[in-house]
Amino acid sequence: IYTSPVPSVPLVSTSVFTHLFASPSGDPNTIGGYPGSAKAFIDAETGTTLTRAQTKNLALSLGYGLRNHPNTGARRGDVVLVYSPNSLSWPILLFGAVAAGLRCTLANSAYNVKELTFQYTDSGARLVLTSEEGLPTVLEVFKQLGVSKAEAEKRIIVLGAGLQWAGGLAAPDKPETAGFLHLHDLLTLGALEQEEKFEGKDADETVYICYSSGTTGKPKGVETTHRNITSVLQIVKTTFPELNMGVDSVLGILPFYHIYGAVKLVHFPWTRGAPVVIQARFDPEKFCASIERYKITMALIVPPVLVVLARHPAVDKYDVSSLASLFSGAAPLGAALVKQVTERLERRRKGKGSVAILQGYGLTETSPTSHLLPVGDAMRKVGSIGILLPNLEARLLVDGDGNGDIEAKEGEAGELWLRGPTIMKGYLNNPTATKESITPDGWFKTGDIAIRDSEGFYYIVDRRKELIKYKGFQVPPAELESLLLTHPDIADAAVIGVESAKEATELPRAYVVHANPEKVKTEAAKITFQQSVRKWTQEQVARHKYLRGGVVVIDSIPKSPAGKILRRELRERAKTELAG
Ligand code: 4UW
């Protein structure tokens, strides 16, 4: 059993809200240890800014509104689904719901009706907070579920575009959303919520439910508790002074509905008193323009962003010299790319020293961070996910079937297992999947294959689980496979991930068996069929699940005697096909 080279830190468990907003000094002018007048969240486009005091006030107003507005009447433990791209509303709605003792389930803002319906029903959500652009999809979900219009109007809260927070009020809403409750209706009842406490055992109540497919199958709700979140915040804050964002600005382009963005952008910088500049999605021009405009010192990214930073002309067009560190995670990062970007940005820093490109590692199930690479080791240990965080334990197991008793030797690869206060409570309403992923003595099986070097640095070298990662987003093969099986001309299907070095990501690639092989005898017929399957899939899934790695017609899917898809065989095959 491995522990961290860094000593454990004492952990205090309260609710997430108390952790972020309490002022232990008793000074009413400080909120969570920093002045209430300090900037907390900034909208990149408009420059609209929320101070810490405004954030607190609005969150408590929303908490009160969620519980007391006659339409909503939420109660402790109710589930609220959030369906929106990044916006200034996010911190308000997360902290407001948490203050009111609600649980938030965060949905990908690119989800279509089918995907959203699944998460809405599976999570048992009562209320939906949606962006204006998401409203039509939400309405279609309700329509298909047979929810009446009157009932839908009680369950939907529209966030409203272009929130003008100056007076705590929103800009006028669009006619398309008239009749629906808006965020500002809940913010203006004129009272503040008395925050719900989650102390002692109650800290093990769920606060966030993000979705992950884990090691196999379809997405499952991950029950993240107050203790999980407050623990990870305390551990990272205490252990990594270099993540001392201080009063420097952090650029927030990662989606807040993914646990990485939710924790590392909405919660973590707050604990350091650092403002977050919020941008809805990654765009090279806007990314560099924001760095110049807001003198950004740190940005959290995924590997494909580095590909852009290595080549895109925008990097030369704007003054990006303030950028001192980049934090990458959610997918493997190649050393060559790190070197390329470090060199390019160093030139742009105009003698202000080099840019540290750091890595973090974690999973939705581990709240999420379990490993971080310290700044001092950035170049020495390029490609490493860093060291194990304190308060966590790790094992590396060679034994593949999960009985898990053969430990990897030093430098040998094994499946990474983790134990500690940041491991999720379990998969929502799914004791079977929970039991398969967490052993009775508390070890969580990551499904990732790692190596630990003699100095305690970890490297992710492979993945045991089925999961595909497209630009950091989860693409569960099982979901695409069951969709493909509903295609009238497909008899069998398997989906794997193939590497694209050019884009620094995996791409989902499907192998399909035609129901009537006679019809795809010629090369031309095959190509037409492959293209039609690709197009057909695109009409039914969110963008990150498109079959960008191609569709291949095959005679039969390789399977084990027990009927399990032999993915390794397909991966080998893909390598040959793509090399040729
Ligand atoms: N290298 C290789 C990595 C890496 C990786 C993740 O969608 P999820 O459930 O969760 C995430 C979380 C990312 C994250 C957490 C904390 C943190 O500090 C940070 O860093 C900056 C990033 O992506 O997917 C989990 C799966 O994603 C892969 C791995 O397979 C894992 O099981 N993964 N990070 N650095 N692979």
Side-chain angles (χ1 to χ4, degrees):
I1 295 178
Y2 299 113
T3 53
S4 173
V6 178
S8 286
V9 303
L11 298 178
V12 182
S13 268
T14 55
S15 79
V16 169
F17 191 88
T18 309
H19 182 78
L20 297 178
F21 290 86
S23 289
S25 64
D27 176 356
N29 296 317
T30 71
I31 296 169
Y34 295 89
S37 58
K39 291 177 184 176
F41 298 100
I42 302 165
D43 180 81
E45 296 281 312
T46 63
T48 309
T49 300
L50 288 177
T51 64
R52 293 173 80 88
Q54 285 171 321
T55 305
K56 181 174 186 179
N57 199 282
L58 289 165
L60 289 175
S61 301
L62 177 63
Y64 183 86
L66 285 166
R67 293 189 53 144
N68 297 288
H69 192 283
N71 277 12
T72 55
R75 292 286 159 267
R76 179 165 166 145
D78 279 354
V79 177
V80 175
L81 183 142
V82 185
Y83 181 58
S84 168
N86 289 3
S87 75
L88 208 49
S89 305
W90 267 87
I92 306 302
L93 55 92
L94 285 190
F95 300 156
V98 169
L102 311 182
R103 293 179 288 165
C104 293
T105 187
L106 315 180
N108 188 315
S109 62
Y111 270 177
N112 63 22
V113 173
K114 190 172 151 201
E115 292 159 330
L116 193 64
T117 302
F118 170 75
Q119 187 164 337
Y120 175 77
T121 25
D122 187 76
S123 65
R126 222 174 79 79
L127 296 172
V128 177
L129 297 175
T130 176
S131 62
E132 283 181 342
E133 69 208 57
L135 183 61
T137 309
V138 176
L139 288 175
E140 190 56 31
V141 169
F142 282 148
K143 197 172 139 204
Q144 293 191 6
L145 291 173
V147 177
S148 70
K149 184 149 187 293
E151 185 59 27
E153 282 178 4
K154 286 190 181 173
R155 295 200 200 172
I156 295 173
I157 296 148
V158 181
L159 300 174
L163 293 164
Q164 304 297 316
W165 290 107
L169 292 181
D173 294 297
K174 300 201 182 117
E176 304 90 274
T177 67
F180 288 96
L181 208 54
H182 283 70
L183 190 61
H184 61 88
D185 296 319
L186 299 185
L187 289 172
T188 47
L189 298 187
L192 300 180
E193 179 65 7
Q194 294 297 315
E195 66 191 83
E196 286 277 332
K197 302 282 182 198
F198 290 83
E199 273 148 18
K201 247 182 102 250
D202 289 356
D204 294 315
E205 284 184 34
T206 301
V207 59
Y208 297 130
I209 308 168
C210 291
Y211 275 70
S212 164
S213 61
T215 53
T216 179
K218 300 200 182 162
K220 296 172 270 288
V222 173
E223 290 201 76
T224 302
T225 66
H226 287 269
R227 189 189 307 282
N228 291 155
I229 298 288
T230 58
S231 297
V232 81
L233 294 175
Q234 291 172 84
I235 292 168
V236 175
K237 183 178 168 178
T238 317
T239 320
F240 284 83
E242 60 260 45
L243 290 188
N244 191 348
M245 296 154 169
V247 289
D248 298 340
S249 298
V250 180
L251 188 53
I253 50 153
L254 298 175
F256 294 167
Y257 51 75
H258 187 239
I259 190 87
Y260 176 19
V263 172
K264 297 293 279 285
L265 288 169
V266 187
H267 294 67
F268 186 70
W270 176 278
T271 70
R272 294 282 188 164
V276 177
V277 174
I278 298 176
Q279 207 148 38
R281 45 186 72 82
F282 177 70
D283 168 273
E285 286 282 334
K286 289 183 179 168
F287 184 83
C288 295
S290 283
I291 293 173
E292 176 180 296
R293 175 170 174 192
Y294 297 102
K295 309 240 174 318
I296 298 288
T297 55
M298 175 186 260
L300 273 65
I301 55 162
V302 289
V305 171
L306 289 181
V307 174
V308 173
L309 295 182
R311 304 205 183 101
H312 203 279
V315 175
D316 292 324
K317 201 167 129 194
Y318 297 93
D319 178 4
V320 294
S321 63
S322 56
L323 192 67
S325 57
L326 283 166
F327 225 92
S328 174
L333 178 62
L337 186 57
V338 171
K339 290 196 174 125
Q340 227 178 326
V341 178
T342 313
E343 279 166 23
R344 185 170 190 204
L345 290 177
E346 190 162 342
R347 286 196 296 275
R348 304 282 301 135
R349 293 264 293 161
K350 304 172 190 152
K352 283 199 260 173
S354 73
V355 173
I357 298 182
L358 303 166
Q359 255 205 96
Y361 162 88
L363 305 90
T364 308
E365 290 86 342
T366 59
S367 310
T369 316
S370 67
H371 289 72
L372 284 175
L373 183 63
V375 169
D377 300 303
M379 286 321 282
R380 201 169 68 90
K381 298 285 181 182
V382 164
S384 168
I385 56 166
I387 56 168
L388 180 67
L389 293 183
N391 303 61
L392 294 179
E393 296 173 296
R395 293 173 74 185
L396 289 174
L397 295 142
V398 178
D399 177 54
D401 66 12
N403 299 322
D405 289 310
I406 310 171
E407 311 274 347
K409 295 189 209 62
E410 192 177 288
E412 197 184 354
E415 183 182 2
L416 176 65
W417 288 16
L418 294 166
R419 184 162 74 177
T422 54
I423 305 300
M424 65 164 180
K425 184 149 94 180
Y427 292 114
L428 183 70
N429 301 326
N430 199 336
T432 314
T434 304
K435 240 182 162 164
E436 279 166 11
S437 68
I438 306 179
T439 69
D441 50 354
W443 288 101
F444 170 72
K445 307 171 192 174
T446 65
D448 289 312
I449 306 290
I451 288 178
R452 180 185 179 278
D453 73 12
S454 59
E455 292 179 86
F457 288 82
Y458 290 73
Y459 296 81
I460 301 294
V461 293
D462 199 0
R463 207 180 277 144
R464 252 194 82 185
K465 55 187 169 189
E466 289 172 2
L467 183 65
I468 300 168
K469 276 282 177 108
Y470 174 71
K471 299 195 171 177
F473 291 112
Q474 289 203 3
V475 180
E479 203 183 323
L480 286 171
E481 285 156 4
S482 59
L483 172 69
L484 289 169
L485 289 176
T486 67
H487 189 293
D489 294 328
I490 293 179
D492 203 358
V495 178
I496 57 160
V498 291
E499 294 293 333
S500 158
K502 201 170 130 242
E503 291 186 86
T505 184
E506 286 172 272
L507 305 172
R509 179 178 180 88
Y511 285 86
V512 296
V513 178
H514 199 288
N516 184 355
E518 290 302 312
K519 291 202 170 159
V520 283
K521 275 240 136 92
T522 67
E523 210 45 40
K526 253 186 207 162
I527 291 172
T528 311
F529 179 61
Q530 287 161 354
Q531 283 167 346
S532 77
V533 170
R534 230 171 130 160
K535 192 159 163 284
W536 179 85
T537 309
Q538 286 183 15
E539 284 156 12
Q540 309 192 56
V541 296
R543 291 182 61 83
H544 62 281
K545 299 179 198 162
Y546 288 2
L547 294 169
R548 291 180 166 87
V551 176
V552 183
V553 179
I554 190 173
D555 294 337
S556 67
I557 304 290
K559 288 191 183 156
S560 72
K564 227 176 134 194
I565 297 169
L566 296 173
R567 293 175 197 281
R568 194 162 291 277
E569 234 169 77
L570 287 173
R571 276 198 289 266
E572 289 306 318
R573 193 189 153 118
K575 261 191 207 145
T576 323
E577 288 164 350
L578 293 166

Coordinates of all heavy atoms in Angstrom, one line a residue, residues 13 38 58 60 109 130 135 148 203 226 247 250 274 296 299 332 370 379 395 437 455 473 480 514 516:
S13 N -14.9 18.4 8.5 CA -16.1 18.3 7.6 C -17.2 19.1 8.0 O -17.7 19.1 9.1 CB -16.5 16.8 7.6 OG -15.8 16.2 6.6
A38 N -13.5 41.4 -2.8 CA -12.6 40.8 -3.8 C -13.5 40.2 -4.9 O -14.5 39.7 -4.7 CB -11.8 39.7 -3.1
L58 N -26.3 36.5 -3.5 CA -27.1 35.9 -4.5 C -27.4 34.4 -4.3 O -28.5 33.9 -4.5 CB -26.5 36.1 -5.9 CG -26.5 37.6 -6.4 CD1 -25.5 37.8 -7.5 CD2 -27.9 38.0 -6.8
L60 N -27.5 32.9 -1.4 CA -28.5 32.7 -0.3 C -29.9 33.2 -0.7 O -30.9 32.6 -0.3 CB -28.0 33.4 1.0 CG -26.8 32.8 1.7 CD1 -26.3 33.7 2.8 CD2 -27.1 31.4 2.1
S109 N -24.1 20.2 -21.5 CA -25.0 21.2 -22.2 C -25.2 20.8 -23.6 O -26.0 21.5 -24.3 CB -24.5 22.6 -22.0 OG -23.2 22.7 -22.6
T130 N -32.2 25.6 -16.5 CA -31.7 25.5 -17.9 C -31.3 26.9 -18.5 O -32.0 27.9 -18.1 CB -32.7 24.8 -18.8 OG1 -32.2 24.8 -20.2 CG2 -34.0 25.5 -18.8
L135 N -33.7 25.4 -23.3 CA -35.2 25.3 -23.0 C -35.9 24.4 -23.9 O -36.7 23.5 -23.5 CB -35.8 26.7 -22.8 CG -37.3 26.7 -22.4 CD1 -37.5 26.0 -21.1 CD2 -37.9 28.1 -22.4
S148 N -47.4 17.5 -18.0 CA -48.2 18.6 -18.6 C -47.5 19.9 -18.6 O -46.5 20.1 -17.9 CB -49.5 18.8 -17.7 OG -49.1 19.3 -16.5
A203 N -22.3 14.9 6.8 CA -21.3 15.3 5.8 C -21.2 14.2 4.7 O -20.7 14.4 3.6 CB -19.9 15.5 6.4
H226 N -20.7 15.9 0.6 CA -20.1 17.1 1.2 C -18.6 16.8 1.7 O -17.7 17.5 1.4 CB -20.9 17.6 2.3 CG -22.2 18.2 1.9 ND1 -22.3 19.6 1.6 CD2 -23.4 17.7 1.6 CE1 -23.5 19.9 1.2 NE2 -24.2 18.7 1.2
V247 N -4.2 36.4 -5.9 CA -5.2 37.3 -6.4 C -5.2 37.2 -8.0 O -5.8 38.0 -8.7 CB -5.0 38.8 -6.0 CG1 -5.4 38.9 -4.6 CG2 -3.6 39.3 -6.3
V250 N -7.7 33.1 -12.9 CA -7.7 31.8 -13.5 C -8.7 31.8 -14.7 O -9.8 32.3 -14.5 CB -8.1 30.8 -12.5 CG1 -8.2 29.4 -13.0 CG2 -7.3 30.8 -11.2
A274 N -8.9 33.5 -5.5 CA -8.5 33.9 -6.9 C -9.8 34.0 -7.8 O -10.7 33.2 -7.7 CB -7.6 32.8 -7.5
I296 N -4.4 36.8 -17.3 CA -4.5 35.4 -16.7 C -3.2 34.8 -16.4 O -2.2 34.9 -17.2 CB -5.2 34.5 -17.7 CG1 -6.6 35.1 -18.1 CG2 -5.2 33.1 -17.3 CD1 -7.7 34.9 -17.0
A299 N -4.3 28.6 -16.4 CA -5.5 28.1 -17.1 C -5.6 26.6 -16.9 O -4.6 26.0 -17.0 CB -5.5 28.5 -18.6
P332 N -4.6 11.5 -21.4 CA -3.2 11.4 -21.4 C -2.5 12.5 -22.1 O -3.1 13.1 -23.1 CB -2.9 10.1 -22.2 CG -4.2 9.3 -22.1 CD -5.3 10.3 -22.0
S370 N -6.8 13.0 -7.5 CA -6.1 12.1 -6.6 C -4.5 12.3 -6.8 O -3.8 12.0 -5.9 CB -6.4 10.6 -6.9 OG -6.0 10.2 -8.2
M379 N 9.3 19.8 -15.4 CA 10.1 19.4 -16.6 C 10.8 18.1 -16.3 O 11.0 17.3 -17.2 CB 11.1 20.5 -16.9 CG 10.5 21.7 -17.6 SD 9.2 21.4 -18.8 CE 10.2 20.8 -20.2
R395 N -2.9 1.4 -4.4 CA -2.3 0.1 -4.7 C -2.2 -0.1 -6.2 O -3.0 0.5 -6.9 CB -3.2 -1.0 -4.2 CG -3.3 -1.1 -2.7 CD -4.3 -2.1 -2.3 NE -3.8 -3.5 -2.4 CZ -4.6 -4.6 -2.2 NH1 -5.9 -4.4 -1.9 NH2 -4.1 -5.8 -2.4
S437 N -17.2 -1.8 -8.1 CA -16.1 -0.8 -8.2 C -15.4 -0.5 -6.9 O -14.3 0.0 -6.9 CB -16.6 0.5 -8.9 OG -17.5 1.1 -8.1
E455 N 10.7 7.3 -7.2 CA 10.5 8.6 -6.4 C 9.0 8.8 -6.1 O 8.7 9.9 -5.6 CB 11.1 9.8 -7.2 CG 12.6 9.7 -7.3 CD 13.1 10.9 -8.1 OE1 13.3 12.0 -7.5 OE2 13.2 10.8 -9.4
F473 N -13.9 14.4 -22.6 CA -15.3 14.0 -22.4 C -15.3 12.4 -22.4 O -14.7 11.8 -23.2 CB -16.2 14.5 -23.5 CG -16.4 16.0 -23.5 CD1 -15.9 16.7 -24.5 CD2 -17.1 16.6 -22.5 CE1 -16.1 18.1 -24.5 CE2 -17.3 17.9 -22.5 CZ -16.8 18.7 -23.5
L480 N -22.8 3.7 -27.3 CA -22.8 3.7 -28.8 C -23.2 2.4 -29.4 O -23.9 2.3 -30.4 CB -21.5 4.2 -29.3 CG -21.2 5.7 -29.1 CD1 -19.8 6.1 -29.5 CD2 -22.2 6.6 -30.0
H514 N -22.8 -6.1 -41.0 CA -24.0 -5.8 -41.7 C -25.0 -6.9 -41.6 O -24.6 -8.1 -41.6 CB -23.7 -5.5 -43.2 CG -24.8 -4.8 -43.9 ND1 -26.0 -5.4 -44.2 CD2 -24.9 -3.5 -44.4 CE1 -26.8 -4.5 -44.9 NE2 -26.1 -3.3 -44.9
N516 N -27.1 -7.9 -43.6 CA -27.2 -8.6 -44.9 C -25.9 -8.4 -45.7 O -25.8 -7.6 -46.5 CB -28.4 -8.1 -45.7 CG -28.6 -8.9 -47.0 OD1 -27.8 -9.8 -47.3 ND2 -29.7 -8.6 -47.7

